[in-house]
């Protein structure tokens, strides 16, 4: 396109080069002088095939181009992604992120260590994490802005504010493509997969996981491949493709490093769930045992979810007392911050009590779900499920009603969100 050889140039960088070459002769030299760069600086960037975000913004300013409009014109085909912005009004953090990007200001320089800590915090305090992320938009290093948006979007997913989560993560993907941040691109694809799955579109979530894995392979990020495969196995499990899920999780566990303990536990959990669905309860219990045996902080983090899965398994085995004990503990934990999961666990607990013929305890567990109504008032599926289980009192609470409510909550089959999908082309 220019006669100069670029090394691994991103589509956005190529578009910037083309824009410069379309300008009158001498534009590049004039730009280098105006911006205080040495003669031949741009040709050096062509040989390297990249440019920093700050330099790109300075060039766009020199050319009189709005950086947001330029990025959005070019990013649709960047990195093999086709991006359609989600419908609906964007949250304030999206507008502030674009303003920060447009300004090019580096800010105080809050760095990667803060982001890693914030990402861990979202599991236990998603609302607090979201508040901190919103406050950090003006402070985080400019190059880390896409990752910050990923943390904010994931926090909103935990709060089941899915349209907002999709909008924020989409903005992160655009900014990551703009800065050619290949690590953030893959991570944001994974995060979007979880948002999509929460809307009930598991096929799209699987496609996003495949796209993330392919992206990691193509860009040589082998350490990130294992977690992406774990995601793929999760969506295969939820699609009922249990044998495939077991195979993928086994492959992922071979790739995961010892310090990727959370991912290892998740892989073992889902192998257990697959074997449970296939009727091999012995293997299911063995993989749950292995998951609990993982060392360190990850085991503490995983305990409530392992209690949930083991409670489901024990219920299938007819060990209702122990199942109810584990499910009740898990329900209390998840009710603090993960309301959608808390609703599903409560359904499992009610089912266990009904199977015991402990009808009063089952109805009490259903009544305890009322605390979820206000924080989940915007989720019509869960609100309707809770109302249905309570409408006809203790006598009207049947296994069939609980199964229907549980299915609707898990899959959101009756209430898909109306927003444009993030499409990924290989």
């Amino acid at each position: 396109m220019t006669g100069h050889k670029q090394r691994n140039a991103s589509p956005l960088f190529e578009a910037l080069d083309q824009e410069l070459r379309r300008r009158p002769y001498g534009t590049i030299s004039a730009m280098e002088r105006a911006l205080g760069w040495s003669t031949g600086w741009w040709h050096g960037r062509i040989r390297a095939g990249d440019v920093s975000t700050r330099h790109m913004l300075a060039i766009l300013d020199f050319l009189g181009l709005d950086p947001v409009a330029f990025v959005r014109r070019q990013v649709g085909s960047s990195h093999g992604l086709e991006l359609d912005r989600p419908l609906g009004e964007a949250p304030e953090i999206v507008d502030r992120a674009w303003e920060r990007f447009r300004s090019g200001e580096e800010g105080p320089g809050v760095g990667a260590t803060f982001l890693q800590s914030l990402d861990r915090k979202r599991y236990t305090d998603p609302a607090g994490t979201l508040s901190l992320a919103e406050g950090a938009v003006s402070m985080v290093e400019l190059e880390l802005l896409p990752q910050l948006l990923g943390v904010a979007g994931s926090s909103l997913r935990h709060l089941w504010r899915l349209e907002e989560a999709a909008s924020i993560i989409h903005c992160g993907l655009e900014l990551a493509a703009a800065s050619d941040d290949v690590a953030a691109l893959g991570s944001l694809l994974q995060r979007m997969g979880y948002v999509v799955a929460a809307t009930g579109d598991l096929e799209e979530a699987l496609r996003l996981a495949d796209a993330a894995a392919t992206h990691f392979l193509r860009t040589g990020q082998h350490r990130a491949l294992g977690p992406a495969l774990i995601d793929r196995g999760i969506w295969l499990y939820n699609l009922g493709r249990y044998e495939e899920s077991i195979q993928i999780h086994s492959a992922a566990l071979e790739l995961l490093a010892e310090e990727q303990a959370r991912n290892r536990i998740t892989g073992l959990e889902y192998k257990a769930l697959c074997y449970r669905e296939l009727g091999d309860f012995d293997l299911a219990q063995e993989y749950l045992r292995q998951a609990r045996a993982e060392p360190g902080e990850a085991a503490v983090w995983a305990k409530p979810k392992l209690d949930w899965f083991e409670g489901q398994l024990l219920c299938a085995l007819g060990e209702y007392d122990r199942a109810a004990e584990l499910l009740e503990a898990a329900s209390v934990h998840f009710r603090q911050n993960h309301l959608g999961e808390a609703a599903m666990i409560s359904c499992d607990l009610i089912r266990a009590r009904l199977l015991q013929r402990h009808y009063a305890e089952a109805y009490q567990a259903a009544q305890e779900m009322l605390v979820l109504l206000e924080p989940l008032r915007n989720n019509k599926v869960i609100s309707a499920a809770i109302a249905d289980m309570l409408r006809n009192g203790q006598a009207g609470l049947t296994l069939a009603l609980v199964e229907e409510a549980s299915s609707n909550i898990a899959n959101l089959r009756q209430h898909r969100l109306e927003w444009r999908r993030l499409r990924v082309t290989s």
Side-chain angles (χ1 to χ4, degrees), residues 161 339 372-384:
R161 291 161 59 183
L339 304 178
L372 303 176
L373 283 178
E374 174 57 26
L376 288 173
R377 61 188 178 279
N378 293 325
N379 191 303
K380 296 179 181 178
V381 174
I382 296 179
S383 299

Side-chain angles (χ1 to χ4, degrees), residues 105-356:
E105 296 176 359
E106 187 50 58
V110 173
T113 301
F114 167 77
L115 275 186
Q116 291 164 4
S117 173
L118 199 61
D119 205 17
R120 289 192 295 270
K121 180 180 173 66
R122 70 182 165 88
Y123 292 106
T124 56
D125 184 12
T129 300
L130 176 63
S131 178
L132 288 170
E134 290 171 337
V137 169
S138 61
M139 298 186 294
V140 74
E141 293 175 11
L142 187 61
E143 303 290 341
L144 296 178
L145 190 54
Q147 296 181 40
L148 177 68
L149 292 172
V151 174
S154 291
S155 299
L156 281 164
R157 177 184 65 82
H158 285 302
L159 296 169
W160 281 59
R161 291 161 59 183
L162 302 180
E163 286 186 291
E164 294 170 84
S167 184
I168 290 171
I169 294 174
H170 183 275
C171 178
L173 280 161
E174 289 182 308
L175 291 177
S179 57
D180 200 25
D181 188 341
V182 294
L185 272 168
S187 172
L188 288 160
L189 284 172
Q190 290 178 273
R191 292 180 191 272
M192 185 66 91
Y194 279 86
V195 175
V196 168
T199 73
D201 197 344
L202 296 170
E203 291 286 357
E204 185 71 3
L206 179 62
R207 203 153 66 94
L208 286 167
D210 286 341
T214 301
H215 172 79
F216 290 136
L217 275 173
R218 186 171 59 241
T219 55
Q221 299 179 76
H222 299 126
R223 180 182 170 83
L225 181 58
L229 292 179
I230 291 290
D231 288 352
R232 189 176 196 280
I234 291 172
W235 312 137
L236 286 169
Y237 163 79
N238 282 285
L239 286 164
R241 294 159 63 178
Y242 305 124
E243 291 88 352
E244 293 176 74
S245 180
I246 289 169
Q247 291 174 357
I248 288 294
H249 278 125
S250 297
L253 287 164
E254 291 292 325
L255 293 172
L256 291 169
E258 184 177 342
E259 60 268 23
Q260 293 175 298
R262 290 193 177 193
N263 299 115
R264 291 185 56 80
I265 289 174
T266 300
L268 292 166
E269 286 174 350
Y270 275 89
K271 286 188 77 170
L273 291 176
C274 287
Y275 280 115
R276 182 195 69 189
E277 294 298 326
L278 293 171
D280 193 334
F281 294 155
D282 289 339
L283 270 179
Q285 288 181 306
E286 171 59 21
Y287 282 112
L288 283 177
R289 186 196 64 76
Q290 289 183 28
R292 288 191 187 275
E294 285 287 322
E297 178 189 346
V300 177
W301 161 80
K303 184 181 183 302
K305 200 168 187 181
L306 290 169
D307 287 346
W308 178 14
F309 291 164
E310 187 171 356
Q312 290 177 324
L313 180 60
L314 291 173
C315 193
L317 290 168
E319 299 180 30
Y320 301 124
D321 285 333
R322 178 59 178 156
E325 181 182 333
L326 290 171
L327 291 168
E328 190 162 4
S331 176
V332 170
H333 172 86
F334 278 92
R335 201 175 295 164
Q336 297 171 27
N337 293 300
H338 305 285
L339 304 178
E341 288 87 347
M344 290 189 285
I345 297 168
S346 292
C347 288
D348 289 337
L349 175 59
I350 296 166
R351 182 188 297 110
R353 292 303 193 191
L354 288 174
L355 288 168
Q356 286 178 291

Side-chain angles (χ1 to χ4, degrees), residues 18-30:
Q18 289 174 351
E19 184 66 40
L20 282 167
R21 305 276 169 193
R22 279 196 292 267
R23 300 300 175 102
Y25 179 79
T27 295
I28 292 176
S29 297

Side-chain angles (χ1 to χ4, degrees), residues 20 23 26-35 37 55-65:
L20 282 167
R23 300 300 175 102
T27 295
I28 292 176
S29 297
M31 175 193 74
E32 291 169 341
R33 288 194 302 272
L35 298 176
W37 299 336
H55 286 144
M56 181 186 69
L57 291 170
I59 293 168
L60 292 172
D61 183 59
F62 172 81
L63 296 174
L65 297 174

